[in-house]
Amino acid sequence: SAVISQKPSRDICQRGTSLTIQCQVDSQVTMMFWYRQQPGQSLTLIATANQGSEATYESGFVIDKFPISRPNLTFSTLTVSNMSPEDSSIYLCSVEELKGANYGYTFGSGTRLTVV
Amino acid sequence: QQQVKQSPQSLIVQKGGISIINCAYENTAFDYFPWYQQFPGKGPALLIAIRPDVSEKKEGRFTISFNKSAKQFSLHIMDSQPGDSATYFCAARLSNSGYALNFGKGTSLLVTP
């Protein structure tokens, strides 16, 4: 399986500021996904990021708040902009790996964000 | 809306017992059903997955049972151990590549000594 390095692992930020989360994969992948997981909750998809195209956002998430970059097949960033305490959450990147006729999804270890 | 419904929300099982977590879905276009295990402070890790053309898949102590007609699938953890205490998520994916997983709400499992 792909190995995902996600940085930072945690951060405490002041409201009104922005944080950029990095996701580095050790192999080339087409599909990358960004999720949010609020404490004790399930994973909610923020957006899908394909290399070379604009990210596709889910309902309730907008590009101005969560801009995403996908400059190549091994890297992506998610920025949480103009943060408020409601943005305190775990942010996870995930990749889809195609292995012949099979596929699987691997997750990074997440970025635990606290906004004060 | 929640496309995958998971139950129970929490589960307490004695060591050596069988843990059973259930999931149900409505969308027949789902074609891939994984289970993830998540420990506090960690990302979800794939446990086992199944396709709808298979009714059961077993890997070690973990078994997925899949009922296509009922649109239900379940995770069985045999001989549950305290180290299995974690949150478990079922998920489903629409057919065709490029789609993200839809997750259930999760089940917090506690295995007591």
Side-chain angles (χ1 to χ4, degrees), chain A residues 88-109:
Chain A
S88 296
S89 192
I90 300 171
Y91 293 85
L92 295 148
C93 71
S94 174
V95 301
E96 179 195 57
E97 297 178 82
L98 292 170
K99 303 172 183 176
N102 294 313
Y103 46 85
Y105 294 77
T106 302
F107 285 81
S109 55

Side-chain angles (χ1 to χ4, degrees), chain B residues 4 6 23 30 32-36 73 89-93 101-104:
Chain B
V4 182
Q6 183 172 347
C23 284
F30 288 139
Y32 173 71
F33 302 88
W35 284 90
Y36 283 82
F73 58 110
F89 293 95
C90 64
R93 198 204 77 148
L101 295 173
N102 291 272
F103 283 87

Side-chain angles (χ1 to χ4, degrees), chain A residues 50-54 70-72:
Chain A
N50 285 345
Q51 192 268 336
S53 63
E54 294 289 326
R70 182 76 203 275
N72 57 52

